[in-house]
Amino acid sequence: MKLNTTVHAVTQRIIERSQPTRAAYLAQLHADAQRPPGAQRLGCANVAHAFAAMPANDKLRVVAEKAPNIGIVTAYNDMLSAHAPLGHYPDLIKSEARKHGATVQVAGGVPAMCDGVTQGQPGMELSLFSRDVIAMGTAVALSHDVFEGALMLGVCDKIVPGLLIGALQFGHLPTVFVPGGPMTSGLSNNAKSKVREQAAQGLVGREELLAAESAAYHGEGTCTFYGTANSNQMLLEAMGLHVPGTAFINPGAAIRDELTREALRTVLGSADFKCPPIGLLVDERCIGNAMVALLATGGSTNHLIHWVAVARAAGILIDWSDFSALSDVVPLLTRVYPNGSADVNQFQAAGGPGFVIRELLDGGFMHADVLTVRAGGLREYTCKPEAAEPRGIAVEKLEGKVPQALVWKAVGASKDEAVVRPASNPFSASGGLKLLLGNLGRSVIKISAVPDDRYVIEAPCRVFDSQDALHKAFSANELNRDVVCVVRWQGPQANGMPELHKLTPPLAVLQGKGFNVALVTDGRMSGASGKVPAAIHVSPEASAGGPLARVRDGDVIRLDAPAGTLQVLVPDDVWVAREAVTMPESLRAANGVGMGRALFASMRRNASSAEEGACSWL
């Protein structure tokens, strides 16, 4: 299938824009790749320290026999439901490595925090920058420099981008990502949201709300809505960094452990196929495929920040204009909560990533000519893994082959077109993401879940300096009208750019009463804005002197998603002459103390804008 002209054009301009930085990145990669293998390039004392704790047989393999040594970087902890399944993975991987004459070491662990636990709390202000901490932790782990490949164990919001950014600093290493899968379905996301809205109105108490939340989040695995964590997994499939079809197999499923073993076999490669270095694999076409997959599935807007940073780590420069141009032509192929009622388990059952990737490839929306960690390229990712049929031992001995544990089968047609559809009959002809421009700066809106009659909102605004201030106004019945709620001082330089999910229930209640409501913020909202129109990531942020610092209560703001505009309707001469307010010092000081926030002060000071990836390391 011929590549879509817009996809081709966007890819070409990314290649041209990135030429100097990508060339510098590849030069470093090639220089690192020319060195002798791990143990052979170190002094004797270095080698002794590196392998002192290894079992004797493993030490013999890696030192004397020069066996490949694979490093594991893990985000395991048993507090996060998504990462709890990873606890036994290292032993599983080490056991498999010995069968293949290889060795494995857990090179290091990285922190993994849960936005669901910290939502609306001071700890949430560490969340975005935890991505950069994870990237640095990954670099520290791999800096021991004794590895011929790496396995990244992590799943959730900031963890996967952080691991990927860190791994790309060691672009000469073959690297495979190893997920844990989603928890089984509990209370539906729609039912949970209704209870949250009832709680916001005081119709149910803490006991009922806690019961609903606990029924939704009930076991090991990622949350079952299509938020940042599950979007991560979709994007890794589209980039060819997983064992194909691994993303949404539940923890404890019969083939889950075998897929983990397959990850080790994949990074080792074979006589017929050598797993490519991650820095060569993640090129401009690969990044483009990730962007397309995000748009086609209505994925998290957090990736408009994270994948800008990921691309930059590989010397590739992308921006929101690239996402917007792709969104105009990439069809929306899924309806998964918050863009529909289905959860990720229903998505998987209906066809999952394999169905979506096949439709995008066949429709000319993805680059097929890319490297992946598998010999069959991206086409392998259009299939789903299953346990192989057992074969007779005698037959296997005659054939001289090891019995195959896994097979990949075509996903076939959609099993539920209310959840996934072919590109010939999409839910929408475009990806549902819009770039908004105007005198309030640059921002984005995700309209895939917003009702058509809410695409344009024009109303007087109410300006808030915090989430709590908006909640107080809501509780005091001050917002029962058409209103655009402006919540500023929420950008990376102000307070670390927390997600503002706490605002969803009150805004949804107001919209449910028939009022025209929208949110405008320099903070993050991800998919949790749901049906309420939200212009998010407004850049430059107010704390950096951005236009939101000039907005006053009562200013009329017009959010027009179809036109791609976000405007405050103030006469130009008045707007230009209006002085920008500064962030209250009491608020800035409060953002810098308690819950570890003081340690992140330099990250806030040095953070780039949201459109530049909110990076603290550039």
Side-chain angles (χ1 to χ4, degrees):
M1 171 62 67
K2 184 179 179 181
L3 192 65
N4 177 276
T5 55
T6 298
V7 174
H8 174 74
V10 170
T11 305
Q12 286 305 119
R13 78 186 187 200
I14 292 172
I15 290 171
E16 292 169 10
R17 182 193 303 143
S18 307
Q19 192 170 3
T21 48
R22 180 64 176 169
Y25 175 82
L26 291 176
Q28 183 62 54
L29 183 157
H30 291 309
D32 291 338
Q34 297 307 309
R35 300 171 306 150
Q40 299 172 50
R41 62 177 169 255
L42 299 182
C44 293
N46 307 86
V47 171
H49 277 83
F51 305 121
M54 264 190 172
N57 287 343
D58 286 352
K59 192 182 299 187
L60 175 67
R61 284 192 185 95
V62 72
V63 177
E65 298 176 3
K66 299 180 176 56
N69 187 38
I70 305 301
I72 292 175
V73 181
T74 179
Y76 165 74
N77 63 56
D78 62 7
M79 179 180 176
L80 271 66
S81 62
H83 292 89
L86 305 178
H88 73 284
Y89 280 22
D91 287 342
L92 199 70
I93 292 165
K94 289 179 182 180
S95 174
E96 185 66 22
R98 292 183 183 112
K99 297 177 186 177
H100 299 273
T103 58
V104 170
Q105 291 177 292
V106 176
V110 296
M113 65 181 292
C114 179
D115 292 355
V117 176
T118 58
Q119 197 59 243
Q121 304 300 314
M124 184 65 191
E125 295 177 12
L126 277 59
S127 176
L128 178 61
F129 291 139
S130 76
R131 180 200 69 196
D132 292 3
V133 173
I134 291 161
M136 290 186 280
T138 303
V140 169
L142 295 179
S143 69
H144 293 105
D145 203 25
V146 293
F147 307 110
E148 282 72 59
L151 295 175
M152 300 287 132
L153 277 55
V155 184
C156 277
D157 296 16
K158 264 60 65 184
I159 292 87
V160 166
L163 289 170
L164 187 46
I165 291 167
L168 285 166
Q169 307 308 303
F170 297 80
H172 61 290
L173 293 178
T175 302
V176 176
F177 280 70
V178 188
M183 68 179 67
T184 56
S185 300
L187 181 69
S188 74
N189 290 298
N190 282 335
K192 175 193 67 182
S193 295
K194 288 178 182 177
V195 178
R196 286 180 175 179
E197 291 178 23
Q198 290 173 329
Q201 298 173 80
L203 301 176
V204 300
R206 180 179 175 87
E207 184 176 347
E208 293 89 346
L209 180 58
L210 180 57
E213 298 285 0
S214 298
Y217 307 114
H218 62 87
E220 289 192 358
T222 60
C223 307
T224 59
F225 65 92
Y226 194 60
T228 310
N230 288 318
S231 299
N232 279 336
Q233 304 312 306
M234 180 70 221
L235 268 58
L236 289 178
E237 295 272 336
M239 295 173 76
L241 288 170
H242 272 170
V243 170
T246 313
F248 300 129
I249 306 294
N250 302 119
I255 64 170
R256 182 83 259 178
D257 282 354
E258 193 57 43
L259 288 167
T260 300
R261 295 186 186 96
E262 183 70 14
L264 183 279
R265 296 191 288 263
T266 297
V267 79
L268 287 176
S270 66
D272 299 324
F273 176 73
K274 185 176 180 180
C275 187
I278 189 172
L280 293 182
L281 189 159
V282 179
D283 65 7
E284 297 89 343
R285 298 164 301 163
C286 176
I287 290 292
N289 284 348
M291 297 163 74
V292 167
L294 179 74
L295 296 165
T297 56
S300 170
T301 52
N302 280 327
H303 292 312
L304 275 71
I305 299 174
H306 294 322
W307 251 251
V308 171
V310 166
R312 184 60 186 258
I316 299 166
L317 307 180
I318 61 174
D319 59 32
W320 293 346
S321 295
D322 299 325
F323 281 99
S324 183
L326 290 173
S327 183
D328 287 343
V329 299
V330 172
L332 181 67
L333 303 184
T334 71
R335 284 287 188 199
V336 186
Y337 188 87
N339 304 315
S341 59
D343 66 18
V344 293
N345 292 311
Q346 292 167 292
F347 171 50
Q348 173 73 3
F355 179 91
V356 172
I357 292 171
R358 185 195 69 203
E359 290 299 306
L360 293 172
L361 284 171
D362 289 350
F365 298 105
M366 291 181 80
H367 298 272
D369 56 337
V370 291
L371 294 172
T372 74
V373 297
R374 304 287 283 197
L378 200 54
R379 278 288 167 187
E380 282 203 46
Y381 292 80
T382 66
C383 299
K384 61 180 180 179
E386 295 182 5
E389 292 294 329
R391 303 173 67 186
I393 295 176
V395 173
E396 290 300 337
K397 285 183 177 178
L398 286 173
E399 295 179 355
K401 296 179 182 178
V402 176
Q404 191 174 6
L406 295 167
V407 294
W408 278 261
K409 297 182 179 179
V411 295
S414 171
K415 308 302 186 295
D416 186 348
E417 289 206 2
V419 182
V420 291
R421 288 185 182 176
S424 59
N425 181 34
F427 291 101
S428 169
S430 63
L433 176 78
K434 297 291 290 187
L435 173 65
L436 302 178
L437 306 173
N439 58 8
L440 287 179
R442 290 167 67 89
S443 62
V444 292
I445 182 172
K446 179 178 171 181
I447 59 173
S448 52
V450 176
D452 294 1
D453 61 353
R454 303 283 174 165
Y455 283 1
V456 179
I457 300 290
E458 182 177 315
C461 77
R462 176 75 182 269
V463 181
F464 300 98
D465 287 349
S466 68
Q467 295 184 78
D468 288 340
L470 189 153
H471 268 271
K472 289 178 182 177
F474 172 80
S475 298
N477 295 317
E478 296 173 6
L479 300 178
N480 289 322
R481 56 185 172 85
D482 291 353
V483 62
V484 174
C485 294
V486 175
V487 183
R488 61 191 178 194
W489 320 123
Q490 304 301 311
Q493 293 183 23
N495 65 350
M497 204 178 187
E499 286 188 323
L500 308 178
H501 291 185
K502 191 176 176 181
L503 302 181
T504 303
L507 295 176
V509 168
L510 294 173
Q511 184 167 279
K513 290 180 178 180
F515 298 119
N516 292 315
V517 181
L519 173 70
V520 175
T521 181
D522 47 11
R524 294 185 293 131
M525 195 68 169
S526 184
S529 57
K531 57 191 176 183
V532 177
I536 58 177
H537 307 174
V538 175
S539 297
E541 64 177 282
S543 181
L548 287 188
R550 296 183 183 183
V551 177
R552 305 288 188 266
D553 280 340
D555 286 346
V556 175
I557 291 178
R558 180 179 176 84
L559 187 165
D560 188 332
T565 58
L566 179 66
Q567 294 277 138
V568 58
L569 304 183
V570 173
D572 290 345
D573 56 338
V574 174
W575 182 246
V576 171
R578 184 181 287 179
E579 184 178 356
V581 299
T582 57
M583 184 176 177
E585 279 305 315
S586 59
L587 183 59
R588 190 180 293 277
N591 290 341
V593 297
M595 216 55 63
R597 288 178 290 180
L599 300 175
F600 287 70
S602 65
M603 289 186 163
R604 291 190 294 272
R605 281 196 302 270
N606 296 318
S608 61
S609 71
E611 187 168 9
E612 295 170 312
C615 297
S616 62
W617 43 270
L618 291 178

